[in-house]
Amino acid sequence: MERLTLPNGLRVVLAPDRSAPVVGVAVVYDVGIRSEPEGRTGFAHLFEHLMFQGSANLEKLAHFRHVQGSGGTFNGSTHLDYTDYFEVLPSNALERALFLEADRMRGPRLTEENLRNQVDVVKEEIRVNVLNQPYGGFPWLTLPPVMFDTFPNAHDGYGSFTDLESATVADAADFFERYYAAGNAVLTVAGDIDVAETTALIERHFGSVPARPAPARPSFDEPDLTAERRKSYTDRLAPLPAVAAAWRVPDPVADFAGYLPYVVLAEVLTDGDASRLVERLVLKDRSVTSVGGYLGFMGEPFEVRDPTALLLQAHLPPGGDTDKLLRTVDEELDRLAQDGLAAGELARTQARMATHLLRDTDAVLSRTLRMAVLEQQRGEPGLLNELPVLLAEVTEEQIRAAAAALRPERRATIEVIPGAAR
């Protein structure tokens, strides 16, 4: 793995792997849902769409045509703390992908026509994925406003139709100027590459992108909860009740050692039929039909910043009792904190986690994206290869302490009342 920084501030990570004639290219910008301005909910996601609408040198849909014409795939996605753009292509098409990403880094084609068109596209996406979908936005959109008080952490990242419709081309230009600077981005190229040749190509295409400083990232921290918070809402399309609960966890970047036990704890609780809550709630009590646990509202344990949380979510049978469910979760957490783990329980969980990590990062796209985000948030793209070892070093004592910290008074809960139940 090689790392370098261009004079304009663009950070670059190169990870050669000659095992297959494929390359992954990712550009990650340090801007996400938490960074969008008040009164412009959904703007980070809207801007992601605008980045595919052409540039000064390329017409609308040219990006699609050039990538797919070379046998590649592409996409982009908006997260709480970053926005990514990526391609996977045959290695002989690497320069094409670098040209395309550098071209829109200089500036997307921000016109009234493109803006209005993409506002309509995003609104339709909200209709399909949230408004007309059972459990739409549960819990990643519905739980943060229960747990958090500040606009960056609590607002709807998909956006309100009112905010989206009031967005202007000037807003988009300001957003680009502020956040889409080369100094606020990371470029990662992984796969079938020669480091020297790839470096020369990157310098050729990105070296002339104008230098703009990265904006200072504000602290989004909030005080932890000192009293339980709980809300419910009726989902007109949901056939069964559901509930999600969350507890704040240590800073995943500044206190990584304190954070890792919670990542393992979530798996101890919910990963597989032998896990604590699956065994108790699904198989024994049959008080839920499914239960899952994960770190981060978007399920990205190693690609999120503070503040974040450990989440548990469950779907209940008809007439399911949320109060009883939460009491049972508290019982299991207390039992784990007091009695510890069964023989082999931690080792089994850590082995499964290592297997999942290695499998997930085997694909060139997963490797490319994860290294880009790790560089962006930590300056440590190589951490990707260390994660299985670091997770294996988490001790039973750390797991017990983490379980003991998940107290009811620190919990935020959102309950879905089924509106489609018969």
Side-chain angles (χ1 to χ4, degrees), residues 216-229:
R217 185 177 187 273
S219 169
F220 296 123
D221 192 28
E222 289 191 37
D224 196 1
L225 299 185
T226 56
E228 184 178 11
R229 295 183 181 182

Side-chain angles (χ1 to χ4, degrees), residues 21-23 70 89-96 192:
V22 177
V23 292
S70 63
L89 315 97
S91 50
N92 61 8
L94 170 61
E95 186 169 12
R96 180 172 295 192
D192 183 23

